[in-house]
Amino acid sequence: MRAEKQIDYVEIPVTDLQKVKEFFTALFGWSFQEWGDGYLSFNDGRLDGGFQLSEKPTPTNGVVLIFYSSDLERDVARVQELGASISQEIFPFPGGRRFHFIDPVGTEYAIWSENMQANTGD
């Protein structure tokens, strides 16, 4: 049974379905289902969503999806390794730290952690 009053599905316009599939498979291990040439659904293990083929990426001043991580420094390096660019370096905010990145097809996301200090490996 689906819960009422909660986000049930997220849909994101992207300019290249194959690139976004490769990026999120490598970064988070998401599973995908192709629905013709213009749509790709995903499951992140908890939430379902989709990527719709679009001529333009989502504007960077629009809604930003924010993912959680226990190791921001690792994930900064990982997203860059996978072809994303950092749009905001790691910064503190009340409750934690986060950074923003632009994926290989031009959509901005963020990753946050409640850890106030960089992971020193201790």
Side-chain angles (χ1 to χ4, degrees):
M1 174 181 246
R2 296 204 183 260
E4 291 188 37
K5 302 178 186 174
Q6 293 183 356
I7 294 174
D8 186 60
Y9 195 87
V10 175
E11 192 168 272
I12 304 161
V14 296
T15 58
D16 188 317
L17 293 173
Q18 187 60 38
K19 278 187 183 177
V20 81
K21 179 181 179 181
E22 291 169 4
F23 180 80
F24 283 107
T25 297
L27 183 62
F28 294 137
W30 288 357
S31 60
F32 290 89
Q33 171 69 48
E34 294 181 20
W35 300 96
D37 294 335
Y39 202 85
L40 181 65
S41 63
F42 68 84
N43 180 278
D44 71 358
R46 183 177 58 127
L47 179 71
D48 291 311
F51 293 101
Q52 181 177 359
L53 191 59
S54 173
E55 291 182 18
K56 295 188 274 184
T58 303
T60 57
N61 63 348
V63 173
V64 176
L65 293 180
I66 303 171
F67 307 106
Y68 173 79
S69 172
S70 61
D71 188 340
L72 293 183
E73 285 73 19
R74 173 200 64 205
D75 291 335
V76 165
R78 186 76 176 128
V79 299
Q80 289 175 310
E81 178 183 300
L82 295 170
S85 61
I86 303 302
S87 55
Q88 287 186 26
E89 296 290 337
I90 295 174
F91 64 93
F93 68 94
R97 301 179 313 134
R98 76 185 205 193
F99 72 94
H100 290 229
F101 66 94
I102 308 292
D103 76 4
V105 298
T107 304
E108 185 172 30
Y109 301 93
I111 299 179
W112 84 281
S113 178
E114 74 276 350
N115 296 333
M116 296 303 288
Q117 300 297 320
N119 185 352
T120 60
D122 295 333

